[in-house]
């Protein structure tokens, strides 16, 4: 009933899936429009704050403090939740977390649950595990509902259905909902159809399952931020609430939470303040669920914490800002990454959470993900908690080829040998000048093997007519 963080094991590795996405004109158009709109609005929202960089530094410092003392903060959280009537469960991996949640749902006598959008539950494949156990999980976030009804896969952290346009959404609703045969593709009608479909589920559900954006160690409070109000319905109406939370989502105090409630909305939805911020602390008699269970999920996070370079990926607050500025993501979409965590953050988080897998196909995907980047650095510039994604990508690339003899590693070793000697480097420059003879308009279109490994998918710029060393000698003596 469990799986590792690479949830779509049937998907190809990144290069193959990316090529398929690049050929999908509709997909690329949807992505380009959506990401351009989001990042433009985000830039304007961030520019309003004169202390934005100081906020980023504060967010980084708070997260690093938590990660450095994670064991003590988790114990503090457990004590606070228990003191307020909640029950804390510890899950080492996906299988254990799914088993705990299914058991709790069965104990509550429910055969159907409503869900707040949660990447942690998607990471562990909770919906599928519940289905195997005879329990239906209903996604209540609009975008997640679109993905679920379309038998699709999410492609964005914040907007899971970003790859769909409204005409495609209308067709999905018509095929999977009753009484909407005349539904148009206007946003208002689509939202109303989803509202009517979900309202019945909210009023009848005994159990709700949520993720968590943050948890305050001092008070045991759990926080979910969302834009539609569906989360508020899930967190107040059912009798039992089960929250699945990655162990890295902690903040020490309420004053620390204040920093992230400024960073997150501007970085994700380009809003000054989040529309719905729901906070619950244990169980309150007469108000909200009668039972609260908090499942603390490891699932590779402890092993990630052990990597001094890679651990900074655990700072992530799932804002998706890095996706919206990434040139690779904009052209391939999130599904090409083969993981619930797409884009730049997924390229560094997924390989670490899934390290040590025994499945060859999954291992191949994990090794390929850190190469899904141009290393332009735009992701680091927008990250609200200053995760140096390019540095982690380079670090993970090194680990992926360590001890192997791939064409890339052989080529880099040869380049290293050449560059260690000025004489060898000059000889290589003269040899490369031959490429100008077969170039057209400054580009080499085709090379024999092993150069064909490059030119099969991209052009090779022809060498300059004069090397920098020759120019220097000619102009500076």
């Amino acid at each position: 009933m469990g799986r590792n963080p690479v949830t779509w094991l049937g998907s190809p590795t990144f290069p193959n899936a990316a090529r398929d996405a690049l050929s999908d004109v509709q997909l690329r158009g949807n992505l380009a429009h959506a990401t351009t709109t989001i990042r433009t609005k985000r830039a304007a929202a961030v520019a309003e704050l004169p202390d934005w960089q100081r906020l980023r530094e504060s967010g980084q410092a708070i997260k690093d403090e938590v990660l450095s003392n994670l064991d003590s903060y988790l114990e503090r959280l457990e004590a606070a939740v228990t003191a307020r009537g909640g029950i804390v469960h510890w899950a080492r991996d996906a299988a254990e977390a799914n088993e705990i949640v299914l058991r709790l749902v069965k104990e509550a006598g429910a055969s159907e649950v409503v869900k707040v959008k949660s990447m942690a539950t998607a990471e562990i494949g909770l919906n599928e595990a519940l289905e195997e156990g005879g329990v239906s999980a209903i996604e209540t976030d609009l975008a997640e509902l679109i993905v679920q009804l379309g038998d699709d896969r999410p492609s964005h952290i914040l907007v899971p259905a970003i790859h769909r346009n409204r005409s495609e959404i209308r067709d999905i609703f018509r095929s999977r909902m009753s009484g909407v045969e005349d539904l148009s593709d206007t946003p208002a009608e689509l939202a109303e159809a989803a509202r009517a479909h979900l309202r019945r589920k909210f009023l009848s559900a005994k159990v709700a399952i949520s993720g968590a954006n943050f948890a305050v160690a001092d008070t045991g409070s759990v926080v979910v931020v969302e834009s539609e109000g569906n989360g508020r319905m899930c967190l107040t109406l059912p009798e039992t609430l089960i929250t699945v939370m990655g162990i890295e989502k902690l903040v020490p105090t309420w004053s620390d939470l204040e920093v992230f409630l400024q960073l997150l909305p501007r970085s994700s939805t380009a809003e000054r303040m989040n529309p719905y911020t729901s906070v619950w602390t244990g169980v309150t008699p007469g108000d909200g669920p009668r039972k609260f269970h908090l499942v603390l999920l490891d699932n590779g996070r402890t092993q990630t914490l052990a990597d001094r370079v890679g651990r900074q990926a655990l700072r992530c607050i799932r804002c998706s800002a890095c996706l919206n500025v990434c040139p690779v993501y904009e052209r391939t979409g999130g599904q090409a990454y083969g993981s619930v965590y797409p884009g730049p953050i997924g390229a560094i988080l997924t390989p670490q959470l899934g390290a040590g897998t025994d499945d060859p196909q999954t291992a191949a995907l994990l090794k390929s993900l850190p190469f899904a980047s141009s290393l332009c650095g735009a992701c680091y510039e927008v990250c609200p908690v200053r995760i140096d994604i390019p540095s982690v990508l380079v670090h993970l690339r090194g680990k992926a080829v360590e001890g192997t003899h791939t064409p890339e590693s052989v080529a880099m070793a040869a380049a290293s040998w050449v560059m260690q000697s000025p004489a060898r480097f000059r000889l290589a420059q003269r040899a490369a000048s031959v490429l100008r003879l077969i170039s057209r308009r400054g580009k080499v279109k085709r090379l024999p093997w092993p150069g064909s490994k490059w030119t099969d998918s991209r052009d090779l710029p022809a060498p300059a007519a004069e090397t920098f060393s020759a120019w220097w000698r000619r102009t500076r003596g």
Side-chain angles (χ1 to χ4, degrees):
M1 290 192 301
R3 57 188 181 181
N4 66 40
V6 184
T7 56
W8 306 326
L9 302 184
S11 65
T13 55
F14 185 89
N16 295 328
R19 279 193 288 268
D20 293 340
L22 288 171
S23 64
D24 189 333
V25 177
Q26 181 65 64
L27 172 68
R28 292 184 63 183
N30 294 348
L31 288 169
H33 174 73
T35 55
T36 300
T37 300
I38 295 172
R39 66 173 175 256
T40 301
K41 290 182 177 180
R42 176 204 165 276
V46 165
E48 294 177 349
L49 295 184
D51 62 344
W52 179 251
Q53 294 305 321
R54 292 180 61 191
L55 275 172
R56 292 179 71 210
E57 292 167 1
S58 296
Q60 174 186 352
I62 293 167
K63 280 292 186 177
D64 284 347
E65 160 64 18
V66 168
L67 295 176
S68 297
N69 301 280
L70 188 56
D71 53 349
S72 61
Y73 283 117
L74 286 170
E75 290 176 354
R76 191 187 304 180
L77 175 70
E78 180 184 31
V81 170
T82 303
R84 289 161 177 79
I87 302 173
V88 177
H89 309 263
W90 298 81
R92 287 168 291 188
D93 53 28
E96 195 164 293
N98 289 336
E99 182 182 352
I100 291 168
V101 174
L102 181 59
R103 172 172 55 80
L104 294 174
V105 173
K106 292 286 190 179
E107 289 175 357
S111 59
E112 185 175 87
V113 300
V114 289
K115 287 184 71 229
V116 184
K117 184 173 72 171
S118 163
M119 300 204 75
T121 60
E123 174 190 320
I124 62 177
L126 179 62
N127 286 11
E128 293 80 359
L130 290 176
E131 187 176 359
E132 290 177 11
V135 177
S136 299
I138 309 300
E139 297 289 352
T140 63
D141 175 84
L142 177 57
E144 288 284 358
L145 178 65
I146 293 166
V147 170
Q148 185 178 47
L149 293 180
D151 296 320
D152 202 355
R153 301 178 305 202
S155 63
H156 193 275
I157 289 177
L158 179 68
V159 194
I162 195 173
H163 58 292
R164 297 288 194 181
N165 60 34
R166 62 190 192 184
S167 296
E168 293 172 312
I169 295 169
R170 174 203 59 201
D171 294 340
I172 291 172
F173 282 8
R174 283 180 176 178
S175 64
R176 298 297 297 271
M177 292 181 182
S178 58
V180 294
E181 293 78 11
D182 298 327
L183 183 67
S184 75
D185 65 354
T186 60
E189 285 197 36
L190 294 173
E192 183 58 34
R195 178 194 291 267
H197 174 78
L198 290 173
R199 186 53 60 97
R200 295 187 294 272
K201 304 295 183 182
F202 287 135
L203 295 176
S204 62
K206 292 183 178 180
V207 178
I209 298 174
S210 84
N213 290 97
F214 309 101
V216 182
D218 276 358
T219 62
S221 304
V222 182
V223 183
V224 163
V225 296
E226 37 110 13
S227 301
E228 301 168 18
N230 59 295
R232 188 68 57 83
M233 301 288 281
C234 289
L235 300 170
T236 55
L237 292 177
E239 297 176 359
T240 300
L241 173 61
I242 304 169
T243 297
V244 180
M245 184 188 87
I247 57 175
E248 80 282 13
K249 293 298 187 69
L250 285 171
V251 296
T253 68
W254 272 93
S255 60
D256 296 320
L257 178 63
E258 176 191 354
V259 173
F260 296 102
L261 292 183
Q262 295 180 73
L263 287 170
L264 182 56
R266 290 178 187 269
S267 296
S268 57
T269 56
E271 294 170 298
R272 298 181 180 91
M273 182 177 179
N274 201 70
Y276 293 91
T277 301
S278 299
V279 183
W280 63 99
T281 307
V283 177
T284 304
D287 182 20
R290 300 173 187 174
K291 295 181 180 179
F292 169 57
H293 298 271
L294 176 61
V295 181
L296 295 174
L297 176 68
D298 187 327
N299 205 37
R301 286 159 174 79
T302 299
Q303 69 184 11
T304 303
L305 190 62
D307 188 324
R308 292 187 177 276
V309 177
R311 70 170 59 168
Q312 59 185 297
L314 296 177
R315 292 184 206 146
C316 178
I317 59 175
R318 310 294 191 265
C319 71
S320 77
C322 62
L323 279 69
N324 300 324
V325 299
C326 177
V328 175
Y329 175 86
E330 184 177 327
R331 288 158 179 79
T332 64
Q335 295 180 350
Y337 291 79
S339 164
V340 70
Y341 301 111
I345 187 61
I348 65 170
L349 183 60
T350 301
Q352 297 188 88
L353 294 182
T357 178
D358 295 327
D359 181 76
Q361 187 175 6
T362 302
L365 173 58
L366 294 175
K367 286 188 175 183
S368 72
L369 284 176
F371 295 90
S373 171
S374 64
L375 299 180
C376 67
C379 49
Y380 174 53
E381 294 299 321
V382 299
C383 178
V385 287
R386 292 170 50 86
I387 301 172
D388 190 353
I389 294 177
S391 293
V392 182
L393 286 168
V394 172
H395 171 68
L396 294 178
R397 289 180 183 187
K399 294 179 68 173
V401 301
E402 193 174 42
T404 64
H405 296 288
T406 63
E408 292 85 356
S409 63
V410 172
M412 294 307 294
S416 175
W417 179 78
V418 168
M419 292 181 181
Q420 289 174 23
S421 165
R424 290 196 292 264
F425 187 69
R426 286 193 294 270
L427 183 62
Q429 286 180 317
R430 286 197 291 270
S433 65
V434 177
L435 294 176
R436 290 202 304 274
L437 301 177
I438 60 174
S439 66
R440 292 185 178 181
R441 297 181 179 178
K443 295 180 180 179
V444 178
K445 301 287 187 179
R446 189 176 299 277
L447 286 173
W449 190 91
S452 59
K453 301 289 287 184
W454 179 278
T455 56
D456 281 349
S457 57
R458 57 184 72 81
D459 294 337
L460 178 69
E466 183 179 31
T467 67
F468 174 79
S469 298
W471 173 84
W472 185 272
R473 287 192 300 271
R474 178 173 58 81
T475 59
R476 305 294 175 91

